[in-house]
Amino acid sequence: MEHYLPLIIVALGVIVLLLLITKLKLDTFISLIITAFLVALALGMPLDKIVESIEGGMGGTLGSIALIFGFGAILGRLVADAGGAQRIATTLIDKFGEKNIQWAVVIASFIIGIALFFEVGLVLLIPIIFQIAKELKMSPLYLGIPMATALSATHGFLPPHPGPTVIAQQYDANIGMVLIYGIIIAIPAVIIAGPLFTKVIRKIIPASFEKQGNLDSLGEIKTFDLKDTPGFGISVLTSLFPVLLMAISTIVDLIQDLGNVSDNMLFKIIHLIGQPTTALLISVLLAIYTMGIKRNIPMKKVMQSAEESIRAIGMMLLIIGGGGVLKQVLIDGGVGDAVAAIFEGSSMSPLLLAWIIAAILRIALGSATVSALTTAGLVIPLMQGTGVDPALMVLATGAGSLIASHVNDAGFWMFKEFFGLNLKETFATWTLLESIISVVGLAGVLVINLFV
């Protein structure tokens, strides 16, 4: 029974958090911190370690996200304020037509998602999604669900994302095979959880699709005459420049690994440029030139756009940090160890076991990457002598780590805030689409396992 106690405490913590936000109408950030304190006490954490864990969770989450978010918001805003987002939106509408616009969004998001972390892709794509929705007078959520699905599937299944890349090393899997199987699994997952799921959920909660989203974090989206906007090519290049830099760095890293080439100064420079923070900083400088200086917009006005974009994401950053605080308390409170103890000595198929453990850890801890990494440590001893393909183990773990994103996951709050949804609507859209990707991912792994 003692193994289950931490999981019961987590469940009660989530209920308390929902009550604070929905019934007491307390601010989300304050509610997250209060819940983290209560859960830490209930898990029996030493009193002198609680504040340390909370500060560590805040620092750890924002340390990796704040710079990316800040530069991503500035880049998106510069492209939007110069009319670049409108140009991209109009061109995509013209090429794909209003009827197929969801597929245009899915393809664009999938390509961007391969190279970019989930948070970066979301920040870069949101202005374009809202612009397309505005042009076509449709719901941002109608395009937002397929976009988030494509970004999430690539985040869970495909290297160079941190989860699949690190667990591929831990399972000693061939990263090229993880990428190939991952794409085979990600495509049906994105189609089912994206455009097909949107059709169904739109009938169930039509009111959510009437909301225009929360554009405060992006500022006011301006409308331009098309002749006054930058060209399509330069707008796409500026928007996708971080993707290009990260993609080049990833390809060079792969060539280096496969060819066993030793590290020299050139590789180190390429690797530095391919880091998300560096890539976004360089892209912001490019945007200042292409969307500002080159178009004779005064530097003061360009910097005004940058400042407004940062001011707008302040509260969102705190909420995401609050999600990170709750996640850290659960990890430090030993919730992962409790899950490990429950599955000790199991004789289940390692693929299914990896998925189940990752799923439970994801629901308990919040972070897809953390639950994937923790699962790898627990499952490696159970793989011995089973002959299971390590690349499929990576994907089974990745699929489990995506399930049922809820209040202890930063992605949940980002989706909720951007699309102006209430908690119930976020569960019905975001949490459900993540679960569909997870289940379709597991099915894909089991099917491939029959043939390899």
Side-chain angles (χ1 to χ4, degrees):
M1 179 63 198
E2 75 241 30
H3 297 330
Y4 292 94
L5 190 61
L7 295 179
I8 294 165
I9 290 168
V10 172
L12 291 172
V14 170
I15 292 166
V16 168
L17 177 63
L18 297 180
L19 289 173
L20 289 174
I21 296 169
T22 53
K23 289 280 178 273
L24 297 182
K25 300 283 185 281
L26 212 57
D27 175 78
T28 304
F29 171 64
I30 297 170
S31 304
L32 281 163
I33 304 300
I34 291 171
T35 306
F37 264 108
L38 294 175
V39 169
L41 291 167
L43 287 170
M45 281 176 69
L47 295 181
D48 57 341
K49 293 280 182 245
I50 292 177
V51 171
E52 198 180 302
S53 181
I54 283 172
E55 288 172 353
M58 192 78 179
T61 305
L62 292 185
S64 60
I65 283 179
L67 283 168
I68 291 172
F69 235 64
F71 287 138
I74 292 171
L75 179 61
R77 185 62 181 268
L78 292 177
V79 174
D81 278 2
Q86 186 179 333
R87 170 70 76 170
I88 295 170
T90 316
T91 310
L92 282 174
I93 294 162
D94 291 345
K95 286 278 179 285
F96 277 82
E98 187 171 340
K99 215 169 87 182
N100 298 318
I101 193 63
Q102 267 193 329
W103 296 103
V105 167
V106 165
I107 293 164
S109 307
F110 196 83
I111 292 165
I112 288 172
I114 289 173
L116 286 193
F117 289 170
F118 177 82
E119 292 88 357
V120 189
L122 201 59
V123 172
L124 289 182
L125 281 169
I126 285 278
I128 297 170
I129 293 294
F130 277 118
Q131 196 76 50
I132 295 175
K134 189 176 174 184
E135 299 266 330
L136 293 178
K137 296 184 174 53
M138 61 169 54
S139 159
L141 192 59
Y142 178 73
L143 300 175
I145 290 175
M147 173 202 68
T149 304
L151 291 176
S152 183
T154 52
H155 178 73
F157 298 138
L158 305 182
H161 287 277
T165 307
V166 178
I167 52 178
Q169 288 162 354
Q170 294 199 352
Y171 286 140
D172 206 15
N174 178 321
I175 206 141
M177 291 316 295
V178 174
L179 194 60
I180 291 165
Y181 292 154
I183 290 172
I184 293 169
I185 290 168
I187 289 169
V190 169
I191 291 168
I192 294 165
L196 298 182
F197 171 62
T198 310
K199 281 190 174 66
V200 176
I201 201 69
R202 197 179 190 182
K203 293 192 175 92
I204 298 168
I205 48 166
S208 305
F209 285 83
E210 286 163 21
K211 294 188 173 179
Q212 287 315 299
N214 175 14
L215 299 184
D216 295 348
S217 57
L218 304 170
E220 180 198 349
I221 289 187
K222 303 181 174 79
T223 310
F224 302 83
D225 276 343
L226 209 56
K227 64 177 188 309
D228 297 333
T229 61
F232 178 71
I234 195 70
S235 300
V236 169
L237 177 69
T238 306
S239 296
L240 296 192
F241 203 63
V243 183
L244 285 174
L245 294 178
M246 288 186 223
I248 291 165
S249 171
T250 305
I251 292 162
V252 169
D253 283 352
L254 282 173
I255 292 168
Q256 199 183 351
D257 289 346
L258 296 172
N260 283 331
V261 185
S262 62
D263 234 0
N264 61 30
M265 201 58 191
L266 180 65
F267 285 126
K268 285 177 179 167
I269 291 167
I270 291 170
H271 186 71
L272 172 69
I273 289 170
Q275 297 285 329
T277 305
T278 324
L280 277 159
L281 173 60
I282 294 167
S283 304
V284 165
L285 296 175
L286 175 72
I288 289 170
Y289 174 72
T290 58
M291 300 287 131
I293 297 166
K294 191 172 174 224
R295 304 188 63 246
N296 298 323
I297 297 172
M299 183 58 92
K300 194 177 172 192
K301 200 172 171 195
V302 175
M303 288 301 102
Q304 203 178 334
S305 289
E307 281 167 26
E308 281 169 13
S309 70
I310 293 298
R311 205 173 297 132
I313 61 166
M315 195 61 205
M316 189 184 276
L317 276 174
L318 280 180
I319 290 171
I320 291 165
V325 165
L326 185 54
K327 175 200 79 183
Q328 194 61 44
V329 162
L330 298 176
I331 293 166
D332 294 347
V335 174
D337 301 338
V339 173
I342 292 167
F343 285 98
E344 222 165 6
S346 172
S347 59
M348 202 184 290
S349 149
L351 290 171
L352 200 55
L353 195 63
W355 184 82
I356 291 170
I357 293 176
I360 292 171
L361 285 169
R362 157 67 156 190
I363 292 166
L365 302 176
S367 163
T369 306
V370 171
S371 49
L373 298 182
T374 312
T375 302
L378 305 177
V379 178
I380 288 166
L382 308 171
M383 283 171 66
Q384 309 307 326
T386 57
V388 68
D389 186 332
L392 290 179
M393 283 295 291
V394 173
L395 294 167
T397 308
S401 76
L402 290 177
I403 204 164
S405 159
H406 62 101
V407 294
N408 56 6
D409 178 29
F412 178 91
W413 298 108
M414 287 166 73
F415 193 84
K416 175 187 178 297
E417 296 296 314
F418 274 136
F419 292 100
L421 305 175
N422 60 33
L423 281 170
K424 190 176 162 192
E425 291 166 336
T426 316
F427 281 117
T429 50
W430 170 252
T431 305
L432 210 47
L433 80 82
E434 286 277 85
S435 303
I436 294 167
I437 297 171
S438 177
V439 173
V440 173
L442 173 66
V445 166
L446 296 176
V447 169
I448 294 174
N449 191 44
L450 298 174
F451 299 99
V452 297

